Amino acid sequence: MSLPRLPRPPLLPLEGRAAVVTGAGRGLGRAEALELARLGAAVVVNDYGQPGRDGSGDASAGPAEEVAAEIRAAGGRALAHTGDVADHEQARELVELTVAEFGQLDILVNNAGILRDRMVFSMSEDEWDSVIRVHLKGHFNTTHFASAHWRARSKAADALVYGRIVNTSSEAFLAGSAGQPNYAAAKGGIVGLTTSTALALSKYGVTANVICPRARTRMTADVFAGFQEPGEGAEKGVGGRRAPLAPIDPLAPEHVAPLVGYLASPAAAHVNGQLLVVHGGMVAVVERPRVAAKFDTKQDAFTYDELDALLTPHYADRPRGETFAAAEVLGLKHE
């Protein structure tokens, strides 16, 4: 469905900004690209275009071109990039294309990913490597070139620049999804990459945050197959206004996109290095890990017997299934 052409209000939070959204040909990335355009940004829609959610099939320009055309038809500015962001040089080309076309890069939303699920004892080396490559290396590649662009601009101007990174992790990392060791590891790595990046780039005026979205997309179609869809959801128009709302699927990507738009905006200037869970009309701010207990040796160094005397009682009354994973996040919902 194409977006309606609507008048643009005079003030949009992302007016004059240029954004890159990876994996934006479908699902979450598409919704995020449309939202950034609705808020006034020029958008480079990146998608490698492979049909299989496991990264299989021939690459296609179709998905990226269609979303870019949808934005332009609604009065926005957009172009397509069909490169593989997991390839270092193609990620460089993506950033260079954005700067060449729109003068600079202001917003980077990393969303591209694949799934190749398997239990850890059955997973092949290729299933591990391919998921780590697309998710974790893909996030690094674009972040590397975007951060170099912002650093150079800041140094040339001897001033802070405008830069926003929104990375995509997953509740699979938080909850410890048993059948997704590659995906959970990649998504956990993305959180570490984000917090490191947030600290490294803050002195240039750049923020980096990470979201854990839950949505019905091509990648999760089987996961949420039992959840009824009440309708097609709300299509959003470029220019700050929405088309009339139909009943919206609680798992629609449109529930996630507004948070990405906010984190990309000037209003979120003081939000940095944060992890947020978002889905179904709910946003949860996840607190960083806290030290639950601390033990000190009464000798020069711990011995096995001393650790046994301290740690064994500490864990004796804990539930057997309780781990560092925060499975309770899966129970979060809109109230």
Side-chain angles (χ1 to χ4, degrees), residues 216 220-230 249-251:
R216 192 194 310 272
T220 62
D222 57 340
V223 177
F224 299 126
F227 292 80
Q228 183 178 0
E229 297 183 56
D249 179 1
L251 291 169

Side-chain angles (χ1 to χ4, degrees), residues 49 60 67-68 71 83-84 107 137 145 169 174 181-182 192 215 217 222 226 237 245 256 264 290 293 297 311 333-334:
S60 168
V67 175
I71 292 171
D84 176 8
I107 299 158
K137 187 181 179 185
F145 292 112
S169 182
L174 289 170
N182 50 2
T217 68
D222 57 340
L245 298 179
V256 176
R290 301 286 184 178
T297 181
L311 293 179
K333 62 180 181 179
H334 177 262

Side-chain angles (χ1 to χ4, degrees), residues 218-265:
R218 182 176 58 120
M219 285 179 61
T220 62
D222 57 340
V223 177
F224 299 126
F227 292 80
Q228 183 178 0
E229 297 183 56
E232 291 184 353
E235 288 289 345
K236 297 181 178 180
V238 173
R241 296 176 56 189
R242 291 179 174 83
L245 298 179
I248 188 167
D249 179 1
L251 291 169
E254 286 76 12
H255 283 297
V256 176
L259 177 60
V260 173
Y262 166 76
L263 292 173
S265 77

Side-chain angles (χ1 to χ4, degrees), residues 24-60:
R26 306 177 179 94
L28 275 171
R30 172 185 176 272
E32 292 162 356
L34 295 179
E35 178 71 0
L36 295 180
R38 189 184 74 83
L39 295 176
V43 182
V44 178
V45 179
N46 163 265
D47 201 289
Y48 197 38
Q50 291 175 297
R53 71 173 189 176
D54 61 351
S56 62
D58 295 333
S60 168

Side-chain angles (χ1 to χ4, degrees), residues 73-215:
R77 296 178 298 155
L79 61 106
H81 178 270
T82 58
D84 176 8
V85 293
D87 181 285
H88 202 61
E89 287 307 307
Q90 292 183 54
R92 181 202 300 272
E93 292 168 6
L94 172 58
V95 171
E96 290 179 347
L97 171 68
T98 307
V99 175
E101 184 71 19
F102 299 119
Q104 62 191 46
L105 170 64
D106 302 291
I107 299 158
L108 170 63
V109 179
N110 283 308
N111 179 74
I114 63 171
L115 285 180
R116 300 191 70 180
D117 295 351
R118 194 89 64 184
M119 299 297 285
V120 68
F121 43 77
S122 301
M123 181 164 288
S124 69
E125 181 181 16
D126 181 63
E127 288 167 338
W128 173 272
D129 288 348
S130 60
V131 169
I132 297 295
R133 175 183 179 273
V134 174
H135 287 273
L136 187 52
K137 187 181 179 185
H139 273 61
F140 162 73
N141 284 344
T142 54
T143 298
H144 168 75
F145 292 112
S147 62
H149 168 70
W150 287 319
R151 180 174 180 267
R153 277 175 49 200
S154 178
K155 286 185 173 294
D158 193 24
L160 299 179
V161 298
Y162 188 101
R164 300 285 187 269
I165 299 174
V166 182
N167 287 333
T168 307
S169 182
S170 169
E171 291 171 295
F173 145 69
L174 289 170
S177 180
Q180 297 180 303
N182 50 2
Y183 183 70
K187 292 306 190 182
I190 287 167
V191 174
L193 171 65
T194 305
T195 54
S196 174
T197 301
L199 291 174
L201 299 186
S202 61
K203 63 183 178 181
Y204 303 118
V206 178
T207 67
N209 294 285
V210 60
I211 63 171
C212 293
R214 188 188 306 177

